């Protein structure tokens, strides 16, 4: 898992519709912290910036949530367009949408 670097998290997240849902907020912030910051290859597939490969069980282990809680939180994030998920028989590809937008200097 990534341990160096940082992310910028704007205070407007306090007004985000899922901020009060602890499991959904936890999963989203965890994904923000763990997605690729540059393109990489994993077992022959391209994993782009803003994406990561993981299973539901792996995300549950990393976040301290149950697999069911991860699935529910992921459904929330998918429904509102923050995250997409492509599943195969071997792995899941998670993409954080609208990532890497530059904040305006006034924000």
């Amino acid at each position: 898992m990534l341990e160096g670097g940082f992310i910028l998290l704007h205070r407007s997240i306090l007004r985000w519709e899922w901020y009060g849902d602890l499991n959904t907020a936890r999963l989203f912030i965890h994904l923000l912290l763990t997605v690729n910051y540059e393109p990489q290859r994993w077992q022959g597939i391209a994993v782009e910036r803003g994406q990561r490969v993981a299973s539901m069980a792996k995300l549950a282990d990393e976040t301290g949530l149950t697999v069911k809680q991860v699935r529910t939180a992921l459904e929330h994030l998918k429904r509102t367009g923050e995250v997409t998920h492509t599943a195969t028989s071997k792995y899941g590809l998670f993409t954080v949408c609208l990532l890497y937008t530059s904040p305006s200097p006034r924000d």
Side-chain angles (χ1 to χ4, degrees):
M1 189 175 322
L2 299 173
E3 293 181 9
F6 61 92
I7 63 167
L8 293 175
L9 188 60
H10 197 277
R11 285 189 177 105
S12 64
I13 198 165
L14 296 169
R15 294 186 308 272
W16 177 50
E17 65 184 297
W18 295 117
Y19 185 76
D21 184 315
L22 296 180
N23 295 342
T24 303
R26 181 179 205 147
L27 179 63
F28 185 65
I29 292 170
H30 181 72
L31 288 171
L32 287 175
L33 289 166
T34 59
V35 294
N36 284 353
Y37 61 89
E38 61 187 6
Q40 296 180 358
R41 295 201 56 81
W42 178 80
Q43 296 186 1
I45 65 163
V47 182
E48 300 299 327
R49 188 175 171 186
Q51 296 181 318
R52 79 166 286 191
V53 174
S55 66
M56 297 286 183
K58 179 71 171 168
L59 289 175
D61 182 58
E62 291 173 355
T63 59
L65 302 172
T66 66
V67 172
K68 183 177 180 184
Q69 289 170 323
V70 169
R71 287 184 194 280
T72 301
L74 180 61
E75 284 305 313
H76 293 161
L77 296 170
K78 286 168 47 177
R79 186 173 51 223
T80 54
E82 279 94 1
V83 172
T84 63
H85 175 241
T86 305
T88 72
S89 61
K90 296 183 179 185
Y91 62 88
L93 181 65
F94 297 85
T95 304
V96 176
C97 304
L98 303 174
L99 193 57
Y100 304 113
T101 58
S102 299
S104 91
R106 295 179 301 255
D107 289 345

